[in-house]
Amino acid sequence: MPIKQQIFALVVSLLVFVFTIEMVRKKRLREEYSVLWLATSFTMFVLVIKYDWLVALTHIVGAELPTSTLFFGSIIFLILLAVQFSIKISKLSDQLKDLVQDNALMRHEFERLKKGSEQ
Amino acid sequence: MSKTIVVIPAYNEGVVIARVIENVRCVVPDFDILVVNDGSKDNTAREAAAAGAIVVSHSFNMGYGVTIQTAYKFAYAKGYDFLVQIDGDGQHDPAFIPELMRPVVAGDTDFVVGSRFLGVESYRPSFSRRLGILFFRKLVSSLIGRTISDPTSGYQAFNRDVMRFFTTDVFPCDYPDADMLITLNLAGFRIREIPVRMFANAAGKTMHSGFKPLYYMFKMCLSIVVTLLRNRQLYRR
């Protein structure tokens, strides 16, 4: 791997790692969403430092170039992230549904009791 | 004496809702009438309340499935024994409510679905809708082992057991049509069809409108497949 490419990959993975930690520290990102980001940036960092590991992985996945393996890895990461968000959105939609229903029923009950106490 | 409630899901039906309530009351004056207003932007809630219905309103639009489940939760919490469901756009002729109720009250079945294809003169749906209904008729009938001629009908009546079952997470809130019948069958509920009359929608707009037919077909097929794949323990009553 050319040294320029190596430095660039290291800087990007470090920036992503530090930025993610900072977001969690400031409570702008929940821990559960930071795991994938941290794991990916850490893996990227290790594979750039341990270049022979990256080459071995490249042989395992059948890619031509180590950079293709990194690119492929980043696509997998994005897919996992999208799936994680889809699962979370589904759960939130279910919770929202329950909240809207409970709110509607309680509001009706409240109005009924209010009318009863006014009469 | 048993308590029965007529539930009417409504979204922007301010023009017709009072007439629908009035028509229902003419047929079954002793039944309570509940309108679940699904975040309408018009005066649906006010009109329904003025017409004497119990009104429960969603804070914002949640869709047909969530709306009818709110009605089931209300009816179950208030201790109703039987529930009749009728659309808020005036498409379902309330004159058939007693027919729909009879086998459920007699205990001959748990769930009755009103069919527009069983002899009583009804409006003729559009060609694409008929095609979709035919597809789901074949699919549902083969899956539950008996003919259901109108699997997309929202004109239904059922007992308290079904009501309780529908208040759980098992209820398919996205599009509660054909997959709901399959879910009921898996849970061992008895299903029966009764002929009813349905009119064409005068306003041309219901909570069912706007569905992209192809997306609906895909979604419904997917929903049926996952319903069949789920652990049967989930459907235990």
Side-chain angles (χ1 to χ4, degrees):
Chain A
M1 194 183 219
I3 189 73
K4 259 185 166 177
Q5 230 175 49
Q6 213 169 354
I7 292 169
F8 181 73
L10 284 175
V11 169
V12 168
S13 56
L14 266 175
L15 278 178
V16 170
F17 194 89
V18 171
F19 182 74
T20 308
I21 293 283
E22 184 61 9
M23 287 294 105
V24 176
R25 195 185 65 82
K26 287 182 176 170
K27 291 200 171 293
R28 286 168 67 182
L29 178 66
R30 290 170 64 121
E31 285 88 343
E32 65 172 301
Y33 298 112
S34 69
V35 174
L36 264 174
W37 289 101
L38 294 174
T40 304
S41 53
F42 179 74
T43 309
M44 195 170 154
F45 187 86
V46 171
L47 288 178
V48 174
I49 295 285
K50 295 278 188 188
Y51 187 70
D52 44 336
W53 290 9
L54 181 60
V55 174
L57 193 65
T58 303
H59 285 304
I60 291 168
V61 300
E64 285 284 323
L65 295 168
T67 44
S68 305
T69 310
L70 281 181
F71 189 68
F72 183 62
S74 61
I75 288 175
I76 290 175
F77 158 70
L78 289 175
I79 290 170
L80 286 176
L81 203 67
V83 170
Q84 188 194 23
F85 286 167
S86 298
I87 292 168
K88 192 68 192 179
I89 288 168
S90 299
K91 194 178 169 194
L92 287 173
S93 299
D94 282 345
Q95 288 172 337
L96 178 70
K97 182 209 80 169
D98 288 342
L99 277 176
V100 167
Q101 289 180 327
D102 286 351
N103 175 260
L105 295 172
M106 285 198 295
R107 213 166 41 168
H108 169 266
E109 206 55 32
F110 174 73
E111 294 293 336
R112 196 179 64 82
L113 291 171
K114 205 168 97 176
K115 265 186 199 159
S117 68
E118 281 169 1
Q119 281 167 3
Chain B
M1 194 183 152
S2 59
K3 277 171 73 186
T4 305
I5 190 166
V6 178
V7 306
I8 309 174
Y11 175 61
N12 291 345
E13 303 289 5
V15 179
V16 292
I17 196 70
R19 188 165 50 82
V20 173
I21 294 165
E22 208 47 55
N23 290 343
V24 170
R25 186 167 292 122
C26 285
V27 180
V28 281
D30 298 333
F31 291 1
D32 288 336
I33 301 173
L34 166 71
V35 171
V36 183
N37 166 40
D38 189 22
S40 298
K41 291 182 175 65
D42 67 357
N43 56 349
T44 300
R46 209 166 47 245
E47 288 288 323
I54 304 163
V55 180
V56 169
S57 289
H58 285 169
S59 304
F60 38 79
N61 185 249
M62 292 296 290
Y64 181 75
V66 178
T67 308
I68 55 176
Q69 200 193 33
T70 302
Y72 305 156
K73 286 183 175 180
F74 178 90
Y76 187 71
K78 295 288 180 186
Y80 286 94
D81 302 294
F82 303 104
L83 183 151
V84 180
Q85 183 182 307
I86 188 165
D87 277 359
D89 55 7
Q91 270 195 293
H92 300 156
D93 185 352
F96 289 83
I97 290 177
E99 299 288 319
L100 221 61
M101 287 292 298
R102 201 162 292 130
V104 185
V105 174
D108 296 335
T109 189
D110 301 303
F111 185 90
V112 170
V113 57
S115 169
R116 76 202 93 175
F117 303 115
L118 288 178
V120 177
E121 196 185 327
S122 283
Y123 86 103
R124 200 171 153 79
S126 67
F127 175 73
S128 59
R129 188 161 168 81
R130 282 207 313 276
L131 209 64
I133 291 172
L134 183 70
F135 174 75
F136 286 115
R137 178 189 300 167
K138 296 280 177 201
L139 189 65
V140 171
S141 300
S142 64
L143 285 171
I144 72 172
R146 53 172 302 182
T147 306
I148 298 290
S149 64
D150 199 353
T152 62
S153 167
Y155 199 1
Q156 299 156 357
F158 45 87
N159 61 24
R160 191 165 167 79
D161 288 341
V162 177
M163 225 184 285
R164 188 198 57 75
F165 185 68
F166 279 168
T167 57
T168 65
D169 288 340
V170 171
F171 185 71
C173 273
D174 284 356
Y175 298 133
D177 284 342
D179 54 347
M180 186 175 78
L181 294 171
I182 293 167
T183 305
L184 281 174
N185 184 63
L186 284 172
F189 287 106
R190 297 163 297 167
I191 304 167
R192 184 182 288 189
E193 263 195 318
I194 296 282
V196 294
R197 180 177 293 116
M198 291 192 197
F199 306 113
N201 181 8
K205 184 177 170 297
T206 73
M207 290 166 82
H208 295 289
S209 71
F211 286 162
K212 307 271 185 290
L214 278 177
Y215 176 70
Y216 173 81
M217 296 272 283
F218 170 75
K219 169 71 189 60
M220 187 54 72
C221 288
L222 177 70
S223 186
I224 288 170
V225 170
V226 295
T227 298
L228 294 171
L229 288 175
R230 278 191 191 119
N231 190 338
R232 298 295 152 94
Q233 294 291 316
L234 201 71
Y235 300 113
R236 276 179 61 180
R237 292 154 62 179

